[in-house]
Amino acid sequence: MTLSKKTLGGGAMLALGALAASPALAQAAAAAAPTVNKGDTAWMMTSTVLVLMMIVPGLALFYGGLTRAKNMLSTMTQIGAVACLAMLIWVMYGYTMAFGDGGNDFISGFGKAFLKGITPDSVAATFTAGVAIPEYVFVCFQMTFAAITVALVLGSVVERMKFSAVMVFGAIWLTIVYFPIAHMVWASGGLFFKMGALDFAGGTVVHINAGVSALVASLILGKRIGYPTERIVPHSLTMTGVGTGLLWVGWFGFNAGSALEANGSAALAMINTFVATAAGGLFWMLAERLNGHKGSALGFCSGIVAGLVAVTPAAGNSGPFGAIVLGAVASVICFYAVSVLKPKLGYDDALDAFGVHGIGGMIGAVGTAIVYAPSLGGPGKPDFAIGSQLTTQVIAVVTTIVWATIGTVIATYAAKALTGLRVSAEVEREGLDLGEHGERAYNS
């Protein structure tokens, strides 16, 4: 279970200093003050950079390869730019909304706006009493989560959404959707945290949030010209394959890094990220074969991501064989969501952000309640009850779906009012690379 990520900043350190001024209490105060662990700090800095690698170049290449050649640069530019925007907003007011001091069930307040009170000496407590990392490292680690989540949403709206609209949407969406959900799940005062919801690395915060928002945004934006009657296929599965590999490697920072320490919990998350993902990649291809298709490179890449998504909330909350089952089940269900559900309903989720991240995230979040059980190899206590935990997980999932839906409607229509939202038909046919950025990905 992800424990409190509430930090000890300047005020807490001053209080500890006052206690230490009394000789009789000096020893107790020293024991109570978390001490920065250099090994854990080094691991968390590494994990943070690994998550950044997931965005640029990982997600940029993964999504870019799936688009048509005329939209390659626009897709990569949108992902990079909205991630940069998220980073700046995070240090201005995102971090304090999600992990600042005080607040309520939904946000932490604005006491740490513009990182007020945070210094190189400020520390963030880990999950082991007396062990800490520098608060700046924690700020950076969580910053990369915000950046990749808003970038994931773009997978449903590429090839037709204005660059200006992406930026306006991103700023509003982060503020009213991502920051509150991150607080609710991971901060000690958050609604889901107090309920006891299990989300080790972001099944609700990242994947359900992004996937549901992607579906809603694509419905408001409308279908691409020619969809689904014209043949619209990825222009470079080679790039998508490279992006998939970068995503998988970076995901170890995402999952194992969420332990906040280099310890056994991180090791469990690490092995689960290996085996659930391996199962996901193979079972998607198996599903293709069982449905009369050849096992494809695109299917393999999609299965890899589905396995990664499903194991994210369960990374440190499952045994390895529970993770294998979770990755396999999620991959097969995501396959049907993409190949059967989407065509039947007719929505244009261009790169299947909802079909993989939304559906996979839901399966992972709910399934965590099962694989957490010690009888199934999970790390739960002997008295763990699947039924009650399953109820909690479902409540967290449904609440996230509703919150993300409402917030995305607001953010999308606000972007539409300010920018027009969608490029002209002429630009869409010509390609957003030239129409929005005046460049071509390929000049030959």
Side-chain angles (χ1 to χ4, degrees), residues 36-47 132-134 137 260-262:
V36 170
N37 182 286
K38 291 184 178 180
D40 293 333
T41 299
W43 165 238
M44 291 308 301
M45 294 174 76
T46 302
S47 294
I133 58 174
V137 174
L260 298 186
E261 302 173 53

Side-chain angles (χ1 to χ4, degrees), residues 49-71:
V49 175
L50 284 171
V51 180
L52 175 62
M53 188 180 74
M54 293 172 66
I55 312 169
V56 285
L59 186 65
L61 287 173
F62 180 84
Y63 273 175
L66 291 174
T67 63
R68 289 167 287 184
K70 62 184 180 180
N71 296 311

Side-chain angles (χ1 to χ4, degrees), residues 53-187:
M53 188 180 74
M54 293 172 66
I55 312 169
V56 285
L59 186 65
L61 287 173
F62 180 84
Y63 273 175
L66 291 174
T67 63
R68 289 167 287 184
K70 62 184 180 180
N71 296 311
M72 172 69 179
L73 286 184
S74 68
T75 300
M76 296 183 72
T77 303
Q78 287 181 4
I79 289 169
V82 80
C84 289
L85 178 66
M87 294 176 191
L88 297 181
I89 293 175
W90 181 255
V91 297
M92 288 188 284
Y93 62 85
Y95 177 70
T96 190
M97 284 183 66
F99 298 108
D101 297 325
N104 52 41
D105 285 348
F106 306 104
I107 63 169
S108 289
F110 295 90
K112 290 190 175 184
F114 294 90
L115 305 185
K116 180 181 178 182
I118 302 177
T119 72
D121 295 323
S122 303
V123 299
T126 65
F127 306 142
T128 300
V131 179
I133 58 174
E135 189 169 4
Y136 276 135
V137 174
F138 181 71
V139 172
C140 290
F141 181 65
Q142 290 294 340
M143 177 173 66
T144 59
F145 276 59
I148 195 170
T149 305
V150 67
L152 285 171
V153 178
L154 303 182
S156 69
V157 297
V158 294
E159 302 196 308
R160 60 204 192 274
M161 190 169 181
K162 289 182 177 180
F163 178 73
S164 57
V166 167
M167 301 301 279
V168 172
F169 169 86
I172 298 172
W173 185 86
L174 285 163
T175 303
I176 64 177
V177 177
Y178 183 82
F179 301 153
I181 293 292
H183 172 77
M184 283 189 261
V185 174
W186 285 331

Side-chain angles (χ1 to χ4, degrees), residues 198 313-314 317-319 321-323 325-326 329 362-380 384-391 393-394:
L198 299 171
N317 294 325
S318 171
F321 290 95
V325 173
L326 197 58
V329 169
M362 293 175 200
I363 295 166
V366 174
T368 298
I370 299 171
V371 297
Y372 190 70
S375 59
L376 300 175
F384 173 74
I386 291 178
S388 60
Q389 188 64 50
L390 196 60
T391 301
Q393 297 298 108
V394 170

Side-chain angles (χ1 to χ4, degrees), residues 126 159 197 231 236 260 411 433 442-443:
T126 65
E159 302 196 308
R231 189 169 182 264
S236 178
L260 298 186
D433 285 6
Y442 310 100
N443 293 312

